[in-house]
Amino acid sequence: MDGETGTPRGVDRAALTNIAPALQGVIDAGDLSGFVTLIWRGGEEIQFNALGQRDIEAGKPMTRDTLFRIASMTKPVTTVAALMLLEEGKLKLDDPIAKWAPEFANMKVLKSATGPVEDSYPAPREITVEDLMTHRAGLAYAFTSIGPIAHAHQKALGDVLTGDIGPDAWMKALAGLPLSYPPGERFHYSHATDVLGFLVGRIEGKPFREVLMERILGPLKMVDTDFYVPPEKRSRAAKVYRLKDDLSALEEAPFPKRDTPPDFCGGGGGLISTLDDYLTFARMLLNDGEVDGVRLLKPETVALMRTNRLTDAQREIPFMGIPFWLGQGFGLGLSVITDPEKQAWMGAGNVGAFGWPGAFGTWWQADPKTGMILIYLIQNSMPLGPEAAAQLATGQRMGARAALPVFQKMAYAAVGG
């Protein structure tokens, strides 16, 4: 179905109506099970689309309240929780994380990021809170790494999104592995935000999930956002799909069904959420830390999040095998567009537009220049095992991957940039 509210001045209605058919074509081609998308601008909903099915086998359609695994869209939420503590003087960006996580004192660094795990040297400095927020801690993911360290991560920590080790045991296991790079040297996508979340929990003296509920999810009335899907909500959950090995059809990529929250509530990628819940969170950041009368952060703190902190040299290093930082940078838990012309090869937006995607194809962006928020939710399984990053540029299902920039460009063309 396709629903729209009133069309404000500056919206090309004809161009707007082309978006749903373009996305439906991806479903019809068998590349994706469905979409939920939103174009929101200046307090008004410009377009909402719910296309395809959340459960192909049961014939259940995508709906506005469908629950999605948002993976790394969790990271900005975790970063906001940490920055709330920063405003209260409980942590500083330059604090060494070993202040609360002594497991990470005296870390070792691989002599070669792809070399033997045993071949390391003492880290030249401690990991800081800012290093975690900017993915410059030297930590890693199995799927962003190549060689022995990738497999060491998988062995020590388990699958990145389905492992269920308790926070303290997990922190100890991660700290027992060498860093891939010296702290501060480069952006290397990693478990840094998971560590940040568990630091928040330790500082507050309670489980990280509880902190999120009390500090963010409760106050913002994000009632459908959590680290698991309770039994009473399972009928609304979208299944995650992948293409069969013979490319003939989609099949479910199963995830554990839980009756209670998992032991591992990872701030790097564990949340499940809905379109409207995440819209509230995005509106809060677009509105400098306040939404619907609830203020979480000061405007100057949100400005820190939305300001690039990577050096020019760091932005020249490819991310996941592609020149990701052409025209954009990374602040605290968010990417930010710095040059729309250079960035346009993979999306659309103005200088200062910010957001961060998730591994299953979920994506959002808030654009301060236009007051626009775009949200794009799908459930497209991506391999997240050791060395998966090396396969991304040449992997299958390019139709599924191409759908996001199609939506981005069509949305900006219709609504105006």
Side-chain angles (χ1 to χ4, degrees):
M1 91 180 185
D2 174 30
E4 296 175 21
T5 61
T7 306
R9 211 168 60 181
V11 173
D12 182 337
R13 176 174 287 277
L16 202 62
T17 58
N18 290 332
I19 294 175
L23 299 181
Q24 183 65 47
V26 179
I27 299 170
D28 294 344
D31 287 320
L32 289 173
S33 59
F35 300 82
V36 170
T37 68
L38 184 75
I39 303 172
W40 183 97
R41 190 182 73 178
E44 296 187 72
E45 182 173 303
I46 309 300
Q47 185 189 60
F48 161 72
N49 290 306
L51 306 165
Q53 296 177 312
R54 67 182 187 269
D55 184 334
I56 295 172
E57 294 76 17
K60 294 179 180 178
M62 288 289 187
T63 56
R64 185 162 191 133
D65 63 353
T66 294
L67 295 155
F68 289 84
R69 293 183 178 274
I70 60 170
S72 288
M73 282 171 57
T74 305
K75 289 178 168 69
V77 182
T78 300
T79 305
V80 166
L83 290 173
M84 293 174 77
L85 302 189
L86 179 143
E87 289 190 350
E88 296 167 6
K90 295 177 180 177
L91 61 79
K92 299 191 297 293
L93 292 181
D94 59 0
D95 277 337
I97 68 170
K99 182 176 180 180
W100 304 281
E103 306 98 317
F104 290 91
N106 306 311
M107 293 294 289
K108 301 287 188 180
V109 182
L110 291 175
K111 290 183 178 178
S112 167
T114 60
V117 174
E118 302 78 16
D119 199 1
S120 64
Y121 64 95
R125 69 162 175 82
E126 295 289 320
I127 300 170
T128 67
V129 171
E130 180 175 346
D131 291 331
L132 295 181
M133 292 187 183
T134 59
H135 291 278
R136 292 183 291 187
L139 296 166
Y141 277 131
F143 72 91
T144 62
S145 304
I146 303 296
I149 191 65
H151 298 275
H153 269 79
Q154 188 79 359
K155 181 178 179 181
L157 305 174
D159 290 336
V160 65
L161 289 177
T162 60
D164 205 10
I165 307 172
D168 291 341
W170 183 90
M171 292 274 271
K172 182 178 180 181
L174 178 62
L177 299 171
L179 301 174
S180 294
Y181 301 98
E185 180 183 280
R186 64 172 67 196
F187 180 104
H188 186 61
Y189 203 42
S190 73
H191 281 292
T193 317
D194 293 309
V195 175
L196 182 67
F198 294 139
L199 283 189
V200 166
R202 288 184 179 183
I203 292 169
E204 292 293 87
K206 57 185 69 174
F208 173 60
R209 175 180 176 271
E210 192 173 321
V211 178
L212 280 194
M213 291 292 177
E214 292 177 359
R215 292 295 196 107
I216 299 175
L217 305 180
L220 296 190
K221 297 181 172 58
M222 297 172 64
V223 296
D224 281 325
T225 303
D226 206 336
F227 290 94
Y228 78 119
V229 179
E232 65 272 18
K233 295 184 180 182
R234 280 184 197 152
S235 65
R236 289 198 279 129
K239 289 184 176 181
V240 180
Y241 286 98
R242 63 192 172 205
L243 204 59
K244 290 183 177 180
D245 290 340
D246 63 5
L247 313 184
S248 62
L250 295 175
E251 64 179 1
E252 182 183 359
F255 282 82
K257 290 181 173 62
R258 306 182 189 279
D259 293 337
T260 57
D263 289 334
F264 184 85
C265 291
L271 285 178
I272 295 158
S273 191
T274 61
L275 178 80
D276 284 308
D277 272 14
Y278 212 90
L279 175 62
T280 301
F281 179 76
R283 286 173 54 216
M284 181 274 297
L285 289 179
L286 182 64
N287 197 42
D288 297 329
E290 185 273 335
V291 65
D292 298 334
V294 178
R295 178 165 291 282
L296 298 188
L297 293 174
K298 298 174 183 176
E300 52 267 36
T301 306
V302 177
L304 287 177
M305 293 184 73
R306 290 160 38 178
T307 301
N308 171 54
R309 302 176 87 86
L310 303 184
T311 66
D312 290 345
Q314 288 170 341
R315 291 163 67 191
E316 289 176 2
I317 300 169
F319 170 49
M320 304 290 278
I322 60 175
F324 186 84
W325 302 115
L326 274 178
Q328 63 181 347
F330 198 84
L332 301 177
L334 295 168
S335 62
V336 58
I337 294 177
T338 56
D339 186 331
E341 290 188 9
K342 290 182 179 177
Q343 196 268 348
W345 70 278
M346 61 175 296
N350 295 292
V351 171
F354 60 89
W356 194 246
F360 301 128
T362 58
W363 174 90
W364 70 285
Q365 181 172 277
D367 192 329
K369 181 177 178 181
T370 60
M372 184 159 70
I373 293 170
L374 301 178
I375 299 179
Y376 170 96
L377 301 174
I378 64 172
Q379 294 287 252
N380 175 31
S381 179
M382 169 184 146
L384 293 175
E387 307 193 38
Q391 307 162 23
L392 293 183
T394 58
Q396 56 173 271
R397 299 192 65 188
M398 295 311 292
R401 293 181 201 162
L404 174 57
V406 166
F407 170 69
Q408 293 166 330
K409 289 177 169 61
M410 292 183 76
Y412 268 87
V415 180

